Amino acid sequence: LTTLEAGSGFDDMAPLTAMIGDARVVSLGETAHLNGSFYKVKHRLVEFLVTQMGFTVFAIEAPFGCASRVNAYIHGSENVPRDALNALAFTAWRTEEVLDMLIWMREYNASHENRLKFYGFDNKPVFDAARVVYDYLNTTSSNTAYNGLLLDWTTGQFDPYQQDRIASVTPDVEDLIAYLEGRRPASGQDHPKWRFVVQNAEVLLQHLEFWGSISAISEASDMRDRHMADNVNWIIDFEEGAKTVLWAANAHITSLPGAGCMGEYLRRTYGDDMIVIALISNRRIPAPPGGEGREAGTGTLEAFLAQAGLEISMIDFRSMPKGIVADYFNSPVRSVQGVKTIYPLSYDAVLFVESTHEAEPLARKE
């Protein structure tokens, strides 16, 4: 590729059309969050997938309920864009690079009939998920039995580290879900809103399950990835199979069998209809510029690709020539985290950026 920058045309990206083909899901990873160069090139990939290949759903590793404010912004609400982005809760996305992408999404939606939707698929935090359920209950019924529980979340009073509280609240949330499911609206117009509210209640239960298993870190990590996969499946089903872009860490999108990661669970559902692309880099330069940067180190795939003279390149593992090339990539290679990885087992492709810069933190004011 010739540039990281969105708005630069698509001549150099033409091979991606055949590479992605008829895939309904494209997962875009990143070695680590808060990498501004990754965010820029992913914005460019999103621009390509939306405008050239008909993708209409974007979902990111962010809280399910909190993404509603961003979705409202890109559909023309009067929300201040920085406020909408701050609603995502995670510092990782509060950057100028991600803000630029949201502004582009809003501009795109303003001039296109087939508009882009924005979702989060994580199970924590859940204050906005609780708010969605609370608002629905208090506008559609007189049942106030769940108000105290929901307000504890919306006001930040619920302590997820209190295991006794989790055990006592879980039956209440299960009862809440059953109550909502029993209020299925007869009107077709109200049905999508009801489904969305029920899913937000399901995310509350996921949240409790996650924190209830937090004493076993590996179990909690696997549970979080399973929940994220479940939420992605729900999003795609809710959007009637719309072509979907996912954005998360490499560690979540990997489809390595037995890894217990989101990508593995999604692979079982979508098979070859999903393309998994890891983003990797050889050098990450701290902001502000001037530091020497941190290099991946000898023996890593990143260092090997830098030695080959690549700058910004997509490597499709599904079309490798046989012989020495396939032998290299299908052998264990040390990753920047120090773990031996056979990349084609984990990802369909990698996007390599030789030198990357830290993301620019979101400015506090307009």
Side-chain angles (χ1 to χ4, degrees):
L1 303 177
T2 59
T3 180
L4 301 173
E5 301 293 334
S8 301
F10 304 116
D11 289 349
D12 60 329
M13 304 181 84
L16 295 181
T17 302
M19 174 185 161
I20 293 166
D22 296 326
R24 294 191 293 131
V25 181
V26 173
S27 293
L28 302 176
E30 52 198 40
T31 306
H33 298 319
L34 291 171
N35 186 312
S37 299
F38 285 167
Y39 290 0
K40 282 177 176 290
V41 75
K42 288 166 88 171
H43 176 182
R44 190 172 185 224
L45 287 168
V46 169
E47 181 187 43
F48 173 82
L49 292 168
V50 171
T51 63
Q52 307 299 303
M53 302 204 69
F55 283 71
T56 57
V57 174
F58 175 90
I60 194 169
E61 182 190 337
F64 184 88
C66 296
S68 299
R69 301 192 198 186
V70 176
N71 190 57
Y73 167 72
I74 69 170
H75 281 85
S77 78
E78 296 182 359
N79 293 347
V80 175
R82 282 175 169 78
D83 290 346
L85 187 53
N86 279 327
L88 287 184
F90 293 164
T91 303
W93 314 132
R94 295 172 180 170
T95 73
E96 294 293 330
E97 293 85 358
V98 176
L99 178 64
D100 288 343
M101 184 178 69
L102 298 189
I103 292 171
W104 174 82
M105 288 179 172
R106 182 182 173 101
E107 292 172 349
Y108 175 86
N109 281 347
S111 58
H112 291 79
E113 183 176 344
N114 198 15
R115 299 201 290 178
L116 185 63
K117 308 283 186 63
F118 189 104
Y119 285 93
F121 50 76
D122 209 343
N123 66 2
K124 60 183 179 70
V126 291
F127 43 83
D128 266 4
R131 184 175 292 109
V132 167
V133 179
Y134 176 86
D135 289 346
Y136 181 82
L137 286 176
N138 283 272
T139 55
T140 63
S141 77
S142 58
N143 187 343
T144 60
Y146 305 103
N147 280 4
L149 169 65
L150 295 170
L151 287 172
D152 276 353
W153 266 309
T154 62
T155 58
Q157 299 300 309
F158 190 91
D159 183 356
Y161 288 99
Q162 293 181 353
Q163 295 295 305
D164 291 345
R165 183 80 194 282
I166 290 174
S168 66
V169 164
T170 296
D172 295 334
V173 175
E174 292 172 339
D175 184 63
L176 167 63
I177 293 170
Y179 175 78
L180 289 168
E181 289 177 339
R183 294 181 57 81
R184 182 187 182 99
S187 168
Q189 183 177 358
D190 295 331
H191 190 254
K193 182 177 181 180
W194 169 80
R195 285 183 64 190
F196 183 69
V197 171
V198 172
Q199 179 60 19
N200 275 276
E202 291 282 0
V203 171
L204 297 179
L205 185 59
Q206 292 176 2
H207 187 71
L208 293 172
E209 291 173 346
F210 170 79
W211 286 105
S213 64
I214 199 65
S215 59
I217 298 299
S218 60
E219 180 183 346
S221 178
D222 179 78
M223 184 172 292
R224 180 186 174 205
D225 273 80
R226 280 190 285 117
H227 288 158
M228 290 196 292
D230 289 342
N231 293 337
V232 168
N233 287 328
W234 183 91
I235 291 165
I236 294 173
D237 180 64
F238 184 69
E239 294 295 340
E240 299 181 344
K243 298 173 77 171
T244 301
V245 184
L246 305 180
W247 177 324
N250 288 346
H252 293 307
I253 70 163
T254 175
S255 58
L256 180 68
C261 296
M262 179 183 75
E264 180 197 2
Y265 296 116
L266 293 177
R267 181 70 83 191
R268 298 175 190 175
T269 302
Y270 301 105
D272 292 339
D273 283 340
M274 179 177 70
I275 305 299
V276 181
I277 304 172
L279 268 70
I280 62 175
S281 67
N282 178 53
R283 183 169 27 178
R284 186 166 174 175
I285 300 173
E292 295 181 358
R294 306 184 294 274
E295 293 192 357
T298 305
T300 61
L301 175 60
E302 292 86 346
F304 177 78
L305 297 177
Q307 186 180 5
L310 302 182
E311 292 292 335
I312 312 169
S313 301
M314 186 84 78
I315 299 161
D316 187 351
F317 295 133
R318 301 165 304 163
S319 60
M320 293 184 294
K322 295 181 180 179
I324 190 171
V325 174
D327 290 345
Y328 171 78
F329 283 109
N330 283 310
S331 299
V333 179
R334 184 168 61 84
S335 69
V336 292
Q337 289 84 12
V339 179
K340 290 280 189 174
T341 302
I342 299 178
Y343 278 87
L345 293 181
S346 299
Y347 311 103
D348 296 308
V350 295
L351 174 56
F352 172 70
V353 183
E354 196 285 322
S355 182
T356 61
H357 292 264
E358 301 290 323
E360 183 179 351
L362 192 66
R364 291 184 177 274
K365 297 180 180 180
E366 289 289 354

